[in-house]
Amino acid sequence: MAAEIHSRPQSSRPVLLNKIEGHSDAVNAAVLIPKEDGVITVSEDRTIRVWLKRDSGQYWPSIYHTVSSPCSCMSYHHDSRRIFIGQDNGAIVEFLLSEDFNKMNHVKTYPAHQNRVSDMVFSLESEWVVSTGHDKSVSWMCTQSGSMLGRHYFGSWASCLQYDNDTQHAFIGDHSGQITLLKLERQTYSTVTTLKGHEGSIGALWWDPVQRLLFSGASDHSVIMWDIGGRKGRTLLLQGHHERVQAVRYLQLTRQLVSCSADGGVTVWNMDTPREEAPQWLDSDSCQKCEQPFFWNVKQMWDSKTIGLRQHHCRKCGKAVCGKCSSKRTTYPVMGFEFQVRVCDTCYDTVKDEDRTALATFHEGKHNIAFMDMDPSRGLMVTCGSDRVIKIWDMTQVVGCSIATGFSPR
C-alpha cells in the first residue's frame, strides 16, 4: 500500500518520506493525524481511509469505509476525534473515530447542499459545521440538533472557506474570483465586505487568527495576502506559480507561507521581511512616458497622423506605457514578482541587483497537488491529487520545525 522512501537526510528541499497508493480515483483531501504516524484520506472512489504507519515503515489502512457518494472534502477535529465528510450529492456525514483509529462510527448525516460540497469547517466552540457547495451557497448547521441554521447564496460556485471561531466570521471564496466576508449568527447573518483582487476562481484560503491575515490562492496563478486586522485595505500580491494555486498554508511562528499548485509546484514564501504593495494600474489614452496614443485614441491618432499603439503596464509603478517604453523585464521579489515581469525603462534603471534577491524558494512535488495539509510541530506535509497518490514530506529543512501551538487542525 505504501513505500518508505527516505529516512531524514539533511537537505534544503522537501524530502519525500512516504508514498501511499491504493485509491482507485482522485484523492480530494488528506489530513495528518496530530501526534500519530497516521493520515486520513477521502476520495472520489467513495472511500474514507485511515492509514497508520506499521513497524515496516509502510502505511496500511486501519479503516476502509465506503459511503454512498464520492467524497469531495473533509474536516477533522483531533481533540474530539470527530470527522466530517462532504459528498458529491451535497450531504455531509459525521463519524466518530475510536482512540486507536481502528474503528469509525456513524453519528449524523446533514442535508447541507443540493450539489457537491466544496469545502467545510467544523467549529467545536459553536457546535456548527459550516460548508460551501456547488449549489452556490454557504450553509451552517447545528451539530447537536442536525438542523439548518442559515444559508447564503452567491452568484457563482462557492469553492472554499475559512472560519474564525472567536468572531464567527466566515471567508468564502467563489468561482468568480471574489471573497465574501460574512458574520454568521444563529438563524441570521450579515455581509461585512467583499474582497476583489484575483482574476480567476479562488482555489484555496487560509486564515491566521493571530495576525488576522487572510491568504488566498487562485486559478490566475497568484496568491494574495489580505491584511484584515490592519483595517487599511493592505494587500500583497505574490506571483510564484505557473499553474492554478490549489492549497495555501501560513506558518505563523516562522512567518512563512507555503503554497501548492496544480502542476506540483511547492513555493515557500518568506513573509518575515518588508514587502511593498503592487501599484494599481493606471488608465490613460496615451503612453505616460512618450505620450504616443493608444489604438483606441482615434482623435490623437488623427491629429498626429500616427498609428495607435498597444497599451501595457509597468508592474513597478503601474503606469500605462507602450511596448517601446517597457522593453525590459526583471524580477522584483519585494513586490511579490519572483518571475520576470514587464517594467518601464525608467523603473528598470532603479532596480538594483540586491532588489532581485529571491524572497521565496521553489520545489517540485512531482504530482498534481489538489490538497495539502501540514503539521508544523513535526515539520511534515502531506499532498494529494488526481493521480490517486498521497505523499508525505519532511519539510524541516525548508520551513523549520515550529512548536505544536503553531498547528491548527483544519
Side-chain angles (χ1 to χ4, degrees), residues 122-136:
F122 166 62
S123 169
L124 183 66
E125 293 83 351
S126 306
E127 280 291 348
W128 291 356
V129 57
V130 187
S131 60
T132 54
H134 286 187
D135 58 0
K136 303 180 181 180

Side-chain angles (χ1 to χ4, degrees), residues 209-220:
V210 178
Q211 290 186 266
R212 303 194 68 76
L213 300 173
L214 178 70
F215 297 88
S216 57
S219 62
D220 59 8

Side-chain angles (χ1 to χ4, degrees), residues 94-310:
E94 179 186 355
F95 296 93
L96 180 64
L97 290 170
S98 62
E99 288 188 24
D100 60 4
F101 298 101
N102 284 309
K103 188 178 180 182
M104 188 169 69
N105 293 318
H106 176 263
V107 178
K108 282 189 185 75
T109 298
Y110 304 85
H113 295 275
Q114 298 299 314
N115 209 325
R116 185 180 180 90
V117 183
S118 55
D119 201 0
M120 81 181 108
V121 174
F122 166 62
S123 169
L124 183 66
E125 293 83 351
S126 306
E127 280 291 348
W128 291 356
V129 57
V130 187
S131 60
T132 54
H134 286 187
D135 58 0
K136 303 180 181 180
S137 76
V138 57
S139 71
W140 51 108
M141 302 188 70
C142 176
T143 54
Q144 294 175 322
S145 66
S147 61
M148 178 72 69
L149 297 176
R151 185 187 300 276
H152 173 76
Y153 283 95
F154 302 92
S156 59
W157 284 358
S159 51
C160 52
L161 84 133
Q162 287 284 280
Y163 179 74
D164 186 85
N165 286 303
D166 294 336
T167 64
Q168 295 184 331
H169 282 95
F171 301 89
I172 300 98
D174 65 36
H175 202 66
S176 74
Q178 296 187 159
I179 302 168
T180 304
L181 174 56
L182 299 178
K183 167 67 173 176
L184 306 184
E185 307 278 0
R186 293 187 73 88
Q187 312 296 335
T188 187
Y189 67 92
S190 58
T191 303
V192 179
T193 189
T194 302
L195 306 176
K196 300 178 181 180
H198 284 289
E199 297 178 357
S201 60
I202 310 297
L205 293 173
W206 184 266
W207 169 245
D208 175 52
V210 178
Q211 290 186 266
R212 303 194 68 76
L213 300 173
L214 178 70
F215 297 88
S216 57
S219 62
D220 59 8
H221 308 176
S222 70
V223 177
I224 295 179
M225 186 204 83
W226 312 82
D227 186 0
I228 304 299
R231 298 180 180 274
K232 294 181 180 179
R234 181 171 179 259
T235 61
L236 294 178
L237 175 66
L238 304 172
Q239 293 190 337
H241 287 280
H242 296 292
E243 256 292 351
R244 62 186 183 274
V245 180
Q246 302 197 128
V248 290
R249 175 67 187 267
Y250 180 62
L251 307 177
Q252 194 270 328
L253 291 173
T254 59
R255 301 295 196 272
Q256 290 170 297
L257 174 71
V258 181
S259 56
C260 302
S261 55
D263 60 358
V266 179
T267 304
V268 180
W269 306 85
N270 176 13
M271 303 304 294
D272 192 24
T273 186
R275 289 183 177 270
E276 299 176 15
E277 286 188 73
Q280 293 291 320
W281 286 3
L282 302 177
D283 292 324
S284 179
D285 292 328
S286 57
C287 176
Q288 294 181 301
K289 293 295 182 179
C290 68
E291 300 184 351
Q292 289 295 304
F294 294 131
F295 63 83
W296 61 83
N297 189 351
V298 179
K299 184 179 185 303
Q300 187 179 345
M301 287 165 56
W302 179 263
D303 292 343
S304 61
K305 303 296 189 292
T306 57
I307 298 175
L309 304 175
R310 183 182 175 188

